């Protein structure tokens, strides 16, 4: 089992920045690919970014490419999502997820999820 706890969400004006953190409980965190997903009210959960466990290769949704950066610190069992140039359409609950089988944009391939942290971007 891997327990994930997100933090860092909040209310920010358009154009602002936030950094989300996701702390993992398991010491083998470094062997899991990690992903960030988001879900707005009435919409399906969508892929935001992912990072591999080995070489730290990163993947992004087109909607956040160039604005968001995913990174990980295996020594701290933590993955981050640095969000800049935020837009009102980025408003959603953000979830981190862990996948022992590799990076993927498909949320159904991630067996472990955090409880989510709300990000609200005002115009």
């Amino acid at each position: 089992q891997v327990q994930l706890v997100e933090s860092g969400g909040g209310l920010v004006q358009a154009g602002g920045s936030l950094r989300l953190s996701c702390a993992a409980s398991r010491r083998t965190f470094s062997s899991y690919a990690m992903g960030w997903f988001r879900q707005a009210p009435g919409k399906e959960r969508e892929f935001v970014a992912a990072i591999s466990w080995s070489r730290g290769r990163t993947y992004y949704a087109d909607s956040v490419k160039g604005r968001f950066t995913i990174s990980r610190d295996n020594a701290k069992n933590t993955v981050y999502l640095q969000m800049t140039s935020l837009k009102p359409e980025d408003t959603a609950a953000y979830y981190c997820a862990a996948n022992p089988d590799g990076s993927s944009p498909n949320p159904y391939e991630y067996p472990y999820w955090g409880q989510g942290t709300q990000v609200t971007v005002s115009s």
Side-chain angles (χ1 to χ4, degrees):
Q1 277 285 14
V2 179
Q3 293 183 327
L4 304 171
V5 179
E6 302 98 334
S7 60
L11 174 64
V12 64
Q13 288 189 333
S17 300
L18 280 176
R19 188 176 81 156
L20 305 183
S21 299
C22 174
S25 63
R26 194 179 176 95
R27 285 183 290 178
T28 54
F29 165 81
S30 61
S31 65
Y32 287 76
M34 299 298 295
W36 283 97
F37 295 80
R38 66 187 182 187
Q39 188 167 19
K43 295 188 177 181
E44 292 188 354
R45 192 165 295 189
E46 66 172 357
F47 171 73
V48 175
I51 186 166
S52 68
W53 66 270
S54 57
R55 298 182 180 179
R57 298 183 72 174
T58 56
Y59 309 86
Y60 297 94
D62 288 342
S63 58
V64 307
K65 203 171 293 183
R67 300 189 298 121
F68 290 11
T69 302
I70 187 171
S71 61
R72 66 190 299 161
D73 186 337
N74 289 337
K76 295 182 178 180
N77 285 1
T78 300
V79 64
Y80 305 97
L81 185 68
Q82 178 68 49
M83 305 185 294
T84 63
S85 302
L86 283 161
K87 305 175 181 179
E89 51 264 43
D90 294 319
T91 295
Y94 283 71
Y95 300 87
C96 72
N99 182 4
D101 296 328
S103 303
S104 171
N106 185 348
Y108 294 101
E109 294 186 16
Y110 290 76
Y112 306 108
W113 290 83
Q115 83 290 348
T117 185
Q118 179 67 35
V119 171
T120 302
V121 184
S122 63
S123 57

